[in-house]
Amino acid sequence: MKTSFFAIALFATTIASAFAEPIEYENGGFRARVSGYGNLGLIEPNFALNNATEIVDWSVRGQMTYDINDVHRLGFVYSINDHGVDEKHYAHDLFALYQVKDYGRVEVGITESVAEKLGLGLPDVGGLRVNEHPLFYKEIKPHGPVITDTVLANCDTSLRLNVVSAKINDAQYGLSVSGLSDGYKYAIDGGIKIRRPNGKTKTAYSFGASFTMSPDDMDTMAYAPHVTADWRAQLSAAVNVQYNSWIFGINSRVIYDKNPVGIVSDGFAIGTGVSYDLLKYSVSLTYLLSDTGVWQHDIDDYVDHTVLGSFRYKYSEYVDGWISVGLTTKTPFVSAGIRLEF
């Protein structure tokens, strides 16, 4: 298996270095673009180095827009990824958009909530997808429920209406309304992102909130139990600071389920990380804490700690090689691979 992996990795790197770039077409006010990535690697729990598991992760996104004039734009977006296919969801994004310059945009269809789109992830440089459905939780099963994403995510596969403002004094605001789902009655999400990109020290802040009425066997996070409760409320907050080649980030998510049924999966999660770039080399250190059951006094909490150090070498504009060493509460692991962008 390892021989075949490295042969595939070498072949993919060679091809990607020569041809990888986004596919774009433009004619007048019409624009089309297809982009994505492929991530191919190995992960080995307990450093045994004799029973590595292959990691395959990919995403493809297509977007078409038409500028009616200098102010108004119509568009359509479709994307699919490896995680969605695992969950038998074959459209991560499938929505139409209408944008008005200097005011904002409206999205209608299947897509992420505003709170997630305006959230801030951690500065991780590895290939284990720390900020969205982390891959190490897929291969190293926790001993209890874990809040895998510190960025607020809520029912990605649901039909929703998103309204997002243009930048107003360095800030963007958004609101989501979602319904027509078997998993809940309705959901309302809101988010704010503030960017201050000027000066030697650049900062960004985000805040999100979500309310879901009557979740019923609702699938909310990868590698976590489905949720049944009277209602679910969530809050998130994050900050990123960049100083020269250093980036520091911290984010958090709080979840509360009213009268949950079954395995309890609410609580809070906190993540923090730092990265440093030097020419073609980057390093990062990430820490994640998940505490579930904290609001329920009749059960014990389940606490999971994960520390992850990553190194990346940028082989070309579209090809990265990476290696990560990590430790969950129970299991150390090492992982490495290549990431191809187009």
Side-chain angles (χ1 to χ4, degrees):
M1 180 186 68
K2 294 180 183 179
T3 302
S4 64
F5 164 77
F6 287 115
I8 293 171
L10 179 61
F11 175 76
T13 301
T14 303
I15 297 299
S17 299
F19 300 106
E21 61 182 49
I23 302 170
E24 297 179 297
Y25 174 79
E26 183 174 347
N27 185 2
F30 176 80
R31 295 180 181 86
R33 177 185 173 95
V34 177
S35 60
Y37 72 85
N39 192 25
L40 183 65
L42 297 171
I43 186 169
E44 178 56 78
N46 296 311
F47 300 145
L49 301 180
N50 59 4
N51 191 28
T53 301
E54 291 183 0
I55 289 175
V56 178
D57 178 34
W58 54 269
S59 177
V60 178
R61 176 185 174 91
Q63 177 170 320
M64 297 183 296
T65 61
Y66 176 71
D67 292 338
I68 301 172
N69 51 41
D70 293 338
V71 176
H72 301 277
R73 170 178 292 177
L74 297 173
F76 178 80
V77 176
Y78 171 76
S79 73
I80 185 171
N81 58 31
D82 179 69
H83 167 69
V85 172
D86 279 349
E87 300 290 320
K88 294 182 171 53
H89 299 148
Y90 299 102
H92 182 69
D93 287 301
L94 181 63
F95 66 91
L97 65 91
Y98 172 59
Q99 183 171 316
V100 180
K101 187 178 180 181
D102 298 329
Y103 287 91
R105 62 192 278 170
V106 177
E107 302 171 346
V108 181
I110 297 171
T111 188
E112 299 165 343
S113 73
V114 160
E116 185 170 359
K117 291 190 176 188
L118 296 181
L120 293 171
L122 299 174
D124 173 75
V125 304
L128 292 176
R129 210 165 59 190
V130 166
N131 291 305
E132 185 179 10
H133 311 315
L135 285 172
F136 46 81
Y137 287 127
K138 183 177 181 179
E139 304 299 336
I140 303 171
K141 303 297 184 185
H143 289 71
V146 172
I147 300 172
T148 58
D149 299 345
T150 50
V151 176
L152 197 157
N154 193 26
C155 318
D156 284 355
T157 59
S158 296
L159 180 66
R160 60 168 37 91
L161 168 69
N162 286 346
V163 180
V164 188
S165 75
K167 279 190 177 181
I168 304 172
N169 296 326
D170 295 331
Q172 275 187 290
Y173 306 86
L175 181 69
S176 292
V177 179
S178 177
L180 302 178
S181 171
D182 294 335
Y184 57 92
K185 286 186 177 180
Y186 63 85
I188 301 173
D189 300 73
I192 303 172
K193 180 186 285 185
I194 303 169
R195 290 187 181 273
R196 292 174 178 163
N198 300 319
K200 195 169 185 179
T201 301
K202 301 174 176 59
T203 57
Y205 309 88
S206 73
F207 306 92
S210 172
F211 178 83
T212 305
M213 188 66 187
S214 301
D216 183 7
D217 196 33
M218 184 177 70
D219 184 8
T220 62
M221 289 181 292
Y223 330 125
H226 290 197
V227 175
T228 298
D230 291 349
W231 48 261
R232 163 169 282 205
Q234 301 182 73
L235 295 172
S236 66
V239 58
N240 278 4
V241 179
Q242 180 177 353
Y243 178 79
N244 293 331
S245 296
W246 290 94
I247 301 176
F248 169 78
I250 184 169
N251 56 15
S252 60
R253 180 181 179 188
V254 179
I255 305 173
Y256 177 77
D257 292 335
K258 179 67 173 179
N259 297 326
V261 177
I263 300 174
V264 173
S265 61
D266 61 356
F268 66 87
I270 297 174
T272 185
V274 62
S275 70
Y276 179 76
D277 294 328
L278 178 63
L279 300 176
K280 291 187 175 183
Y281 303 92
S282 301
V283 293
S284 67
L285 182 65
T286 305
Y287 169 71
L288 300 169
L289 164 66
S290 169
D291 189 342
T292 53
V294 64
W295 320 122
Q296 313 299 325
H297 301 296
D298 56 341
I299 64 171
D300 294 332
D301 292 16
Y302 178 72
V303 180
D304 185 83
H305 303 271
T306 299
V307 179
L308 183 67
S310 298
F311 168 81
R312 181 182 65 187
Y313 171 70
K314 195 168 185 63
Y315 178 77
S316 70
E317 183 178 359
Y318 299 107
V319 182
D320 294 340
W322 58 270
I323 183 170
S324 297
V325 179
L327 175 66
T328 69
T329 298
K330 301 290 185 179
T331 308
F333 62 90
V334 61
S335 185
I338 60 170
R339 177 183 168 96
L340 317 175
E341 296 189 14
F342 63 91

